[in-house]
Amino acid sequence: MASICFVCLGNICRSPMAESIMTHLNDGRFERIESRATSSWEHGNPIHAGTRSVLDAHQVPFNPEKRSQQITVEDLEDFDTIVAMDQQNLTDLQDLSAGRYDHKISRLLDRDVPDPWYTGDFEETFALLWQGCQDLRDKERKND
């Protein structure tokens, strides 16, 4: 079974939201679903209150004990798939990879997923992540 790691800047909004959505949608394709940050800015902080609220509103469970973690080279080696929320996250991951794990790294969508920490629009982010996670799950089904 596969493992997947969602990555955003701080690991308090988008990537834990994607982690929770994919865990909710998971039909057994993924044995391990986690999330990380490209920066250390929010290290150790819990999931943002706006993320918690939108997940609750859509009845998507989340781990209330989740704390922000920064991605490491070991994570790049360990996870089968690493999914960036935007182009800058993708670039940061490719820089960390130094070419060794680029085949595992991609963006969730063909466009950036807006960071609701800046936009305040957690619903928009949720809708994009929901669709992206469904598409990713369906793609994995086809690869079986």
Side-chain angles (χ1 to χ4, degrees):
M1 283 212 246
S3 60
I4 188 168
C5 184
F6 294 97
V7 183
C8 69
L9 180 63
N11 193 217
I12 62 168
C13 295
R14 294 173 292 174
S15 60
M17 192 184 299
E19 174 185 348
S20 299
I21 291 169
M22 185 59 86
T23 300
H24 182 68
L25 295 173
N26 189 24
D27 57 4
R29 301 271 180 243
F30 296 104
E31 175 180 50
R32 184 173 161 215
I33 303 167
E34 296 185 22
S35 63
R36 301 282 190 276
T38 57
S39 77
S40 62
W41 296 352
E42 297 288 346
H43 183 76
N45 287 337
I47 297 172
H48 190 283
T51 297
R52 291 171 179 255
S53 293
V54 77
L55 290 171
D56 281 341
H58 290 276
Q59 300 179 350
V60 174
F62 60 89
N63 178 358
E65 304 303 315
K66 169 75 178 161
R67 296 291 183 263
S68 176
Q69 296 174 265
Q70 189 172 9
I71 195 155
T72 64
V73 172
E74 292 79 15
D75 289 326
L76 297 180
E77 182 178 342
D78 193 38
F79 284 97
D80 298 313
T81 303
I82 298 105
V83 180
M85 296 294 109
D86 62 34
Q87 184 60 47
Q88 185 60 56
N89 301 148
L90 181 67
T91 299
D92 291 343
L93 288 166
Q94 290 168 334
D95 289 348
L96 181 63
S97 170
R100 293 178 59 201
Y101 306 104
D102 288 357
H103 63 284
K104 298 180 177 187
I105 302 168
S106 63
R107 280 196 324 188
L108 181 63
L109 300 170
D110 291 337
R111 61 171 280 197
D112 288 351
V113 175
D115 188 341
W117 193 90
Y118 295 104
T119 68
D121 194 343
F122 287 85
E123 280 293 336
E124 175 191 25
T125 299
F126 180 89
L128 289 169
L129 292 176
W130 183 270
Q131 186 61 55
C133 286
Q134 284 183 317
D135 292 349
L136 185 59
R137 181 199 58 195
D138 294 347
K139 179 182 169 188
E140 287 295 316
R141 283 180 181 162
K142 290 178 185 175
N143 290 338
D144 284 350

